Amino acid sequence: MRIVALAGGIGGARFLQGLKVAAPDAELTVVVNTGDDITLYGLRVCPDLDSVMYTLGGGSDTQRGWGRQDETFRVKEELVAYDAPATWFGLGDLDMATHLVRRQMLDAGFPLSAVTAALCERWRPGARLLPMSDDRVETHVVVDDDATPGNRKAIHFQEWWVKHHAALRAHSIVAVGAETATPAPGVLEAIEAADVVLLPPSNPVVSIGTILQVKGIRDALAGKKVVGLSPIIGGAPVRGMADACLDAIGVETSAQAVGRHYGSELLAGWLVDTTDAGVTVPGVEVRAVPLLMTDVTASAAMATAALELAGV
Ligand code: FO1
């Protein structure tokens, strides 16, 4: 069976661990959001690609959800001592090697998809990881500019998410570059060949939503069986701050609202948690199953339920 998943970072990575257990013989391709990517100190950091790669490769810090296990932050402490900019973003010492290799390959002219494949030679995630695009797409958030009251400014998503904990009201969220970006090599072909496409419980706005903005991806999904899993349980995001993102696009933070936001154009099936049993999405088959990814067994059960709902 050929499965394609569109994934963001932490929630997506956790679900994919369960999917690998639920469908060990499936050919799995993961199309990963790159809108969170940020350039710092000349290094290109790709949080979602790295979260998926480390998590499926067995090297992630399962507590933090991002970055490496057994990580240290000595370089970061030195950057703080130099009062360097952006030290609010915690670059770990082990993680740094990934960014150095990526920077070197990008500078040598390799596209992000080739860099990702090279990094996965080491981590062996047990799935093919594809960036949604080799073109630069960066999510920026429009917030009030306190320096000039009444004016607004756009800040990088990571600054909003990590430095400000998404506490600044987001007037809009813009995937800069999405309008001209093209899908990375293999993305459209993988979707075309898929028996099923899954939308893990990633952030529906800045992860799944960003991937869907890359030209051609939404159209490629039109003819496919797509099943999604709600990242919202009982009116709240399971982790992260998807509610702040949903507010920015005027979508209520509920399993029903997110399902309807994706809509029947995209979804054939929508899995909600048992807390949200009774949710309806016009034109979409909805089922209620436990959606808390407390461990890989729980994630595997969710993945099985999603594949069953897809009828594969
Ligand atoms: N998230 C944080 O909350 N604080 C950090 O300092 C931080 C550093 C970081 C470094 C590398 C990386 O790949 C991810 C990192 N993240 C951090 C997580 C990141 O902001 C999120 O994983 C996604 O961008 C949002 O899904």
PDB file of all heavy atoms in Angstrom, residues 10 36 45 47-48 50-51 66 88-91 95 157-158 161-162, ligand 1:
ATOM      1  N   ILE A  10       5.895  18.458  15.413  1.00  0.00           N
ATOM      2  CA  ILE A  10       5.849  17.537  16.543  1.00  0.00           C
ATOM      3  C   ILE A  10       4.641  16.583  16.464  1.00  0.00           C
ATOM      4  O   ILE A  10       4.787  15.371  16.473  1.00  0.00           O
ATOM      5  CB  ILE A  10       5.856  18.347  17.849  1.00  0.00           C
ATOM      6  CG1 ILE A  10       7.130  19.214  17.892  1.00  0.00           C
ATOM      7  CG2 ILE A  10       5.757  17.440  19.060  1.00  0.00           C
ATOM      8  CD1 ILE A  10       7.073  20.395  18.804  1.00  0.00           C
ATOM      9  N   ASP A  36       8.029  26.909   8.325  1.00  0.00           N
ATOM     10  CA  ASP A  36       8.600  27.274   9.637  1.00  0.00           C
ATOM     11  C   ASP A  36      10.090  27.536   9.536  1.00  0.00           C
ATOM     12  O   ASP A  36      10.694  27.967  10.521  1.00  0.00           O
ATOM     13  CB  ASP A  36       8.414  26.109  10.622  1.00  0.00           C
ATOM     14  CG  ASP A  36       6.957  25.898  10.985  1.00  0.00           C
ATOM     15  OD1 ASP A  36       6.101  26.551  10.366  1.00  0.00           O
ATOM     16  OD2 ASP A  36       6.681  25.082  11.874  1.00  0.00           O
ATOM     17  N   VAL A  45      17.630  26.516   9.258  1.00  0.00           N
ATOM     18  CA  VAL A  45      17.009  25.580  10.200  1.00  0.00           C
ATOM     19  C   VAL A  45      15.641  25.175   9.649  1.00  0.00           C
ATOM     20  O   VAL A  45      14.837  26.035   9.276  1.00  0.00           O
ATOM     21  CB  VAL A  45      16.856  26.246  11.588  1.00  0.00           C
ATOM     22  CG1 VAL A  45      16.225  25.288  12.582  1.00  0.00           C
ATOM     23  CG2 VAL A  45      18.223  26.738  12.093  1.00  0.00           C
ATOM     24  N   PRO A  47      12.722  23.217  11.028  1.00  0.00           N
ATOM     25  CA  PRO A  47      12.176  22.552  12.222  1.00  0.00           C
ATOM     26  C   PRO A  47      11.294  21.346  11.937  1.00  0.00           C
ATOM     27  O   PRO A  47      11.449  20.307  12.579  1.00  0.00           O
ATOM     28  CB  PRO A  47      11.384  23.665  12.910  1.00  0.00           C
ATOM     29  CG  PRO A  47      12.050  24.917  12.482  1.00  0.00           C
ATOM     30  CD  PRO A  47      12.456  24.663  11.069  1.00  0.00           C
ATOM     31  N   ASP A  48      10.379  21.470  10.958  1.00  0.00           N
ATOM     32  CA  ASP A  48       9.465  20.341  10.746  1.00  0.00           C
ATOM     33  C   ASP A  48      10.173  19.161  10.084  1.00  0.00           C
ATOM     34  O   ASP A  48       9.979  18.012  10.489  1.00  0.00           O
ATOM     35  CB  ASP A  48       8.248  20.802   9.934  1.00  0.00           C
ATOM     36  CG  ASP A  48       7.293  21.651  10.782  1.00  0.00           C
ATOM     37  OD1 ASP A  48       7.548  21.796  11.989  1.00  0.00           O
ATOM     38  OD2 ASP A  48       6.308  22.159  10.242  1.00  0.00           O
ATOM     39  N   ASP A  50      13.256  18.445  10.389  1.00  0.00           N
ATOM     40  CA  ASP A  50      14.136  17.846  11.394  1.00  0.00           C
ATOM     41  C   ASP A  50      13.344  17.103  12.473  1.00  0.00           C
ATOM     42  O   ASP A  50      13.750  16.019  12.914  1.00  0.00           O
ATOM     43  CB  ASP A  50      15.035  18.917  12.022  1.00  0.00           C
ATOM     44  CG  ASP A  50      16.030  19.492  11.005  1.00  0.00           C
ATOM     45  OD1 ASP A  50      16.172  18.889   9.918  1.00  0.00           O
ATOM     46  OD2 ASP A  50      16.631  20.547  11.283  1.00  0.00           O
ATOM     47  N   SER A  51      12.186  17.638  12.864  1.00  0.00           N
ATOM     48  CA  SER A  51      11.362  16.931  13.872  1.00  0.00           C
ATOM     49  C   SER A  51      10.948  15.560  13.343  1.00  0.00           C
ATOM     50  O   SER A  51      11.039  14.553  14.034  1.00  0.00           O
ATOM     51  CB  SER A  51      10.104  17.731  14.208  1.00  0.00           C
ATOM     52  OG  SER A  51      10.399  18.827  15.021  1.00  0.00           O
ATOM     53  N   TRP A  66      11.037  18.554  20.010  1.00  0.00           N
ATOM     54  CA  TRP A  66      11.858  19.011  18.870  1.00  0.00           C
ATOM     55  C   TRP A  66      13.316  18.830  19.252  1.00  0.00           C
ATOM     56  O   TRP A  66      13.640  18.635  20.422  1.00  0.00           O
ATOM     57  CB  TRP A  66      11.569  20.470  18.533  1.00  0.00           C
ATOM     58  CG  TRP A  66      11.656  21.401  19.712  1.00  0.00           C
ATOM     59  CD1 TRP A  66      10.624  21.769  20.529  1.00  0.00           C
ATOM     60  CD2 TRP A  66      12.816  22.052  20.242  1.00  0.00           C
ATOM     61  NE1 TRP A  66      11.085  22.606  21.535  1.00  0.00           N
ATOM     62  CE2 TRP A  66      12.419  22.807  21.362  1.00  0.00           C
ATOM     63  CE3 TRP A  66      14.170  22.089  19.857  1.00  0.00           C
ATOM     64  CZ2 TRP A  66      13.309  23.572  22.109  1.00  0.00           C
ATOM     65  CZ3 TRP A  66      15.063  22.836  20.598  1.00  0.00           C
ATOM     66  CH2 TRP A  66      14.625  23.574  21.713  1.00  0.00           C
ATOM     67  N   TRP A  88      16.709  33.791  21.487  1.00  0.00           N
ATOM     68  CA  TRP A  88      15.441  33.206  21.999  1.00  0.00           C
ATOM     69  C   TRP A  88      15.162  31.873  21.298  1.00  0.00           C
ATOM     70  O   TRP A  88      14.381  31.059  21.751  1.00  0.00           O
ATOM     71  CB  TRP A  88      14.255  34.158  21.770  1.00  0.00           C
ATOM     72  CG  TRP A  88      14.220  34.794  20.418  1.00  0.00           C
ATOM     73  CD1 TRP A  88      14.730  36.013  20.093  1.00  0.00           C
ATOM     74  CD2 TRP A  88      13.710  34.229  19.193  1.00  0.00           C
ATOM     75  NE1 TRP A  88      14.570  36.233  18.745  1.00  0.00           N
ATOM     76  CE2 TRP A  88      13.946  35.165  18.183  1.00  0.00           C
ATOM     77  CE3 TRP A  88      13.081  33.017  18.862  1.00  0.00           C
ATOM     78  CZ2 TRP A  88      13.573  34.956  16.855  1.00  0.00           C
ATOM     79  CZ3 TRP A  88      12.706  32.787  17.547  1.00  0.00           C
ATOM     80  CH2 TRP A  88      12.954  33.752  16.562  1.00  0.00           C
ATOM     81  N   PHE A  89      15.853  31.609  20.194  1.00  0.00           N
ATOM     82  CA  PHE A  89      15.647  30.344  19.478  1.00  0.00           C
ATOM     83  C   PHE A  89      16.764  29.393  19.864  1.00  0.00           C
ATOM     84  O   PHE A  89      17.935  29.659  19.580  1.00  0.00           O
ATOM     85  CB  PHE A  89      15.668  30.603  17.970  1.00  0.00           C
ATOM     86  CG  PHE A  89      15.163  29.459  17.140  1.00  0.00           C
ATOM     87  CD1 PHE A  89      13.795  29.203  17.024  1.00  0.00           C
ATOM     88  CD2 PHE A  89      16.044  28.609  16.481  1.00  0.00           C
ATOM     89  CE1 PHE A  89      13.327  28.152  16.246  1.00  0.00           C
ATOM     90  CE2 PHE A  89      15.579  27.552  15.707  1.00  0.00           C
ATOM     91  CZ  PHE A  89      14.208  27.331  15.580  1.00  0.00           C
ATOM     92  N   GLY A  90      16.425  28.309  20.533  1.00  0.00           N
ATOM     93  CA  GLY A  90      17.438  27.439  21.130  1.00  0.00           C
ATOM     94  C   GLY A  90      18.088  26.495  20.141  1.00  0.00           C
ATOM     95  O   GLY A  90      17.539  25.424  19.844  1.00  0.00           O
ATOM     96  N   LEU A  91      19.224  26.868  19.608  1.00  0.00           N
ATOM     97  CA  LEU A  91      19.937  25.957  18.709  1.00  0.00           C
ATOM     98  C   LEU A  91      20.835  25.051  19.549  1.00  0.00           C
ATOM     99  O   LEU A  91      21.741  25.536  20.232  1.00  0.00           O
ATOM    100  CB  LEU A  91      20.780  26.759  17.709  1.00  0.00           C
ATOM    101  CG  LEU A  91      20.015  27.339  16.514  1.00  0.00           C
ATOM    102  CD1 LEU A  91      20.985  28.069  15.594  1.00  0.00           C
ATOM    103  CD2 LEU A  91      19.274  26.247  15.755  1.00  0.00           C
ATOM    104  N   ASP A  95      22.214  19.436  17.256  1.00  0.00           N
ATOM    105  CA  ASP A  95      21.340  19.881  16.150  1.00  0.00           C
ATOM    106  C   ASP A  95      22.134  20.744  15.167  1.00  0.00           C
ATOM    107  O   ASP A  95      21.896  20.731  13.965  1.00  0.00           O
ATOM    108  CB  ASP A  95      20.180  20.673  16.751  1.00  0.00           C
ATOM    109  CG  ASP A  95      19.050  20.905  15.768  1.00  0.00           C
ATOM    110  OD1 ASP A  95      18.825  20.041  14.894  1.00  0.00           O
ATOM    111  OD2 ASP A  95      18.400  21.960  15.861  1.00  0.00           O
ATOM    112  N   PHE A 157       7.509  33.600  11.717  1.00  0.00           N
ATOM    113  CA  PHE A 157       6.676  32.703  12.516  1.00  0.00           C
ATOM    114  C   PHE A 157       7.402  32.235  13.778  1.00  0.00           C
ATOM    115  O   PHE A 157       6.824  32.193  14.863  1.00  0.00           O
ATOM    116  CB  PHE A 157       6.267  31.483  11.664  1.00  0.00           C
ATOM    117  CG  PHE A 157       5.660  30.373  12.468  1.00  0.00           C
ATOM    118  CD1 PHE A 157       4.346  30.463  12.919  1.00  0.00           C
ATOM    119  CD2 PHE A 157       6.414  29.256  12.816  1.00  0.00           C
ATOM    120  CE1 PHE A 157       3.788  29.454  13.685  1.00  0.00           C
ATOM    121  CE2 PHE A 157       5.857  28.240  13.587  1.00  0.00           C
ATOM    122  CZ  PHE A 157       4.541  28.344  14.021  1.00  0.00           C
ATOM    123  N   GLN A 158       8.698  31.890  13.645  1.00  0.00           N
ATOM    124  CA  GLN A 158       9.426  31.387  14.821  1.00  0.00           C
ATOM    125  C   GLN A 158       9.521  32.453  15.915  1.00  0.00           C
ATOM    126  O   GLN A 158       9.465  32.139  17.104  1.00  0.00           O
ATOM    127  CB  GLN A 158      10.828  30.897  14.428  1.00  0.00           C
ATOM    128  CG  GLN A 158      10.848  29.668  13.542  1.00  0.00           C
ATOM    129  CD  GLN A 158      10.271  28.421  14.198  1.00  0.00           C
ATOM    130  OE1 GLN A 158      10.049  28.387  15.413  1.00  0.00           O
ATOM    131  NE2 GLN A 158       9.975  27.417  13.411  1.00  0.00           N
ATOM    132  N   TRP A 161       6.159  32.425  17.497  1.00  0.00           N
ATOM    133  CA  TRP A 161       5.853  31.142  18.143  1.00  0.00           C
ATOM    134  C   TRP A 161       6.734  30.903  19.360  1.00  0.00           C
ATOM    135  O   TRP A 161       6.272  30.560  20.421  1.00  0.00           O
ATOM    136  CB  TRP A 161       6.072  30.016  17.122  1.00  0.00           C
ATOM    137  CG  TRP A 161       5.608  28.675  17.501  1.00  0.00           C
ATOM    138  CD1 TRP A 161       6.381  27.652  17.993  1.00  0.00           C
ATOM    139  CD2 TRP A 161       4.282  28.144  17.404  1.00  0.00           C
ATOM    140  NE1 TRP A 161       5.605  26.532  18.189  1.00  0.00           N
ATOM    141  CE2 TRP A 161       4.325  26.799  17.844  1.00  0.00           C
ATOM    142  CE3 TRP A 161       3.063  28.654  16.971  1.00  0.00           C
ATOM    143  CZ2 TRP A 161       3.192  25.977  17.871  1.00  0.00           C
ATOM    144  CZ3 TRP A 161       1.928  27.838  17.009  1.00  0.00           C
ATOM    145  CH2 TRP A 161       2.000  26.527  17.444  1.00  0.00           C
ATOM    146  N   VAL A 162       8.030  31.160  19.207  1.00  0.00           N
ATOM    147  CA  VAL A 162       8.989  30.802  20.260  1.00  0.00           C
ATOM    148  C   VAL A 162       9.258  31.976  21.199  1.00  0.00           C
ATOM    149  O   VAL A 162       9.131  31.845  22.413  1.00  0.00           O
ATOM    150  CB  VAL A 162      10.312  30.320  19.630  1.00  0.00           C
ATOM    151  CG1 VAL A 162      11.336  30.039  20.715  1.00  0.00           C
ATOM    152  CG2 VAL A 162      10.070  29.066  18.787  1.00  0.00           C
TER     153      VAL A 162
HETATM  154  N1  FO1 B   1      10.656  25.532  19.948  1.00  0.00           N
HETATM  155  C1  FO1 B   1      10.648  26.261  21.098  1.00  0.00           C
HETATM  156  O1  FO1 B   1       9.595  26.402  21.723  1.00  0.00           O
HETATM  157  N2  FO1 B   1      11.779  26.842  21.579  1.00  0.00           N
HETATM  158  C2  FO1 B   1      12.979  26.752  20.938  1.00  0.00           C
HETATM  159  O2  FO1 B   1      13.977  27.315  21.389  1.00  0.00           O
HETATM  160  C3  FO1 B   1      13.033  25.966  19.732  1.00  0.00           C
HETATM  161  C4  FO1 B   1      14.218  25.775  19.035  1.00  0.00           C
HETATM  162  C5  FO1 B   1      14.233  24.921  17.920  1.00  0.00           C
HETATM  163  C6  FO1 B   1      15.420  24.637  17.256  1.00  0.00           C
HETATM  164  C7  FO1 B   1      15.426  23.779  16.161  1.00  0.00           C
HETATM  165  C8  FO1 B   1      14.243  23.198  15.734  1.00  0.00           C
HETATM  166  O3  FO1 B   1      14.265  22.343  14.682  1.00  0.00           O
HETATM  167  C9  FO1 B   1      13.034  23.460  16.383  1.00  0.00           C
HETATM  168  C10 FO1 B   1      13.016  24.332  17.475  1.00  0.00           C
HETATM  169  N3  FO1 B   1      11.835  24.611  18.163  1.00  0.00           N
HETATM  170  C11 FO1 B   1      11.827  25.368  19.281  1.00  0.00           C
HETATM  171  C12 FO1 B   1      10.554  24.047  17.719  1.00  0.00           C
HETATM  172  C13 FO1 B   1       9.956  24.835  16.557  1.00  0.00           C
HETATM  173  O4  FO1 B   1       9.725  26.161  16.851  1.00  0.00           O
HETATM  174  C14 FO1 B   1       8.653  24.098  16.212  1.00  0.00           C
HETATM  175  O5  FO1 B   1       8.978  22.761  16.090  1.00  0.00           O
HETATM  176  C15 FO1 B   1       8.003  24.376  14.901  1.00  0.00           C
HETATM  177  O6  FO1 B   1       8.589  25.304  14.127  1.00  0.00           O
HETATM  178  C16 FO1 B   1       6.543  24.645  15.155  1.00  0.00           C
HETATM  179  O7  FO1 B   1       5.871  23.498  14.787  1.00  0.00           O
END
